Amino acid sequence: MDGDGEDRPEEIKNFIELAEQSEDKSIVGERVKRSESLLFKFCYQFHKFLTLAFTGQSIRFGNFTCLSRITVEKMLKEKATWNSFSGSLKKTEKNLIPTPSIRGTRYFGPSKMSFFNLLKHSLSIISVFRKTVLIRSALFIVLYILLIKSNASIITSLPLVLLLVMIYSISNLALRENLEDFNKSLDNIHNIDKIK
């Protein structure tokens, strides 16, 4: 869980109860109520649509999870974990148990999640499934060109340009998938007292 209050500590009890009944399945907290602005909610829904359309995966959870030992062992061997926790979890585990989670109030300060960081986060999740994305994108490009070939213009080619930018972006983000860096991640913490 994140330590900023948005993952509510009182919900941990639900995770523990489910874990005791789950037979080594992992539990994920799915947001059922969000408190962000209308623009953020719209962008989040668009992110979920894009993820589903291009990867075939519905990912409605973040870090608030209770992982089984088996899942942890799988994720430690998956280089995508360094790139996107939720994307990697969905890739390695097909039978996740969802539990409702209400977004809590931050303990202090505003969220540091800018629009750019939200976009990067969204594309990082999608990049975990880049092979599927490339196949679906190729199919979309072929079908779209067939649809617009008699009405081709700068305006009608805009979706193709945006798709190519997305493919380029996820390809760059996928370069972060590095098992060696993931295994050495704790080396980045030199002094726990300096972490704020």
Side-chain angles (χ1 to χ4, degrees):
M1 67 188 292
D2 290 339
D4 56 11
E6 292 182 359
D7 294 335
R8 302 186 317 147
E10 56 265 35
E11 292 179 2
I12 294 173
K13 182 178 163 218
N14 300 341
F15 282 82
I16 292 170
E17 287 173 357
L18 274 171
E20 288 171 345
Q21 306 162 14
S22 70
E23 298 179 8
D24 288 332
K25 289 184 182 170
S26 292
I27 295 105
V28 294
E30 290 189 349
R31 291 277 191 241
V32 291
K33 187 176 176 186
R34 305 191 72 94
S35 56
E36 296 93 346
S37 68
L38 193 60
L39 177 63
F40 185 95
K41 288 177 184 176
F42 172 78
C43 291
Y44 182 72
Q45 291 301 322
F46 185 67
H47 147 72
K48 286 199 308 186
F49 167 75
L50 263 185
T51 304
L52 183 61
F54 284 99
T55 69
Q57 304 290 331
S58 176
I59 301 175
R60 300 176 55 203
F61 59 90
N63 296 337
F64 202 12
T65 56
C66 181
L67 306 180
S68 69
R69 180 186 301 256
I70 295 165
T71 300
V72 171
E73 288 171 356
K74 288 180 187 176
M75 290 191 71
L76 287 173
K77 295 173 186 166
E78 173 55 58
K79 63 183 180 178
T81 303
W82 185 241
N83 188 19
S84 168
F85 174 81
S86 55
S88 177
L89 180 55
K90 189 70 174 182
K91 181 180 178 182
T92 57
E93 288 295 347
K94 304 303 176 207
N95 296 316
L96 296 167
I97 299 173
T99 185
S101 177
I102 296 171
R103 182 182 171 124
T105 306
R106 289 179 64 83
Y107 292 136
F108 62 90
S111 173
K112 293 180 182 175
M113 183 62 86
S114 66
F115 180 77
F116 176 77
N117 286 337
L118 181 65
L119 181 62
K120 185 177 175 183
H121 174 71
S122 178
L123 292 174
S124 293
I125 293 170
I126 293 170
S127 74
V128 172
F129 306 95
R130 63 191 166 281
K131 289 178 186 172
T132 305
V133 172
L134 290 174
I135 293 166
R136 289 183 178 215
S137 297
L139 289 171
F140 174 81
I141 289 168
V142 169
L143 290 173
Y144 191 74
I145 288 173
L146 290 172
L147 282 172
I148 68 160
K149 66 180 178 182
S150 59
N151 295 318
S153 69
I154 293 173
I155 303 282
T156 56
S157 63
L158 192 58
L160 294 175
V161 172
L162 291 173
L163 180 59
L164 292 173
V165 168
M166 184 183 92
I167 292 169
Y168 174 77
S169 299
I170 66 167
S171 297
N172 274 341
L173 288 167
L175 294 175
R176 298 187 311 176
E177 293 184 7
N178 184 318
L179 204 52
E180 188 177 330
D181 284 347
F182 178 47
N183 290 332
K184 292 181 178 177
S185 60
L186 293 180
D187 294 344
N188 295 329
I189 303 172
H190 300 294
N191 188 335
I192 196 91
D193 295 328
K194 293 182 181 177
I195 296 175
K196 294 182 181 180

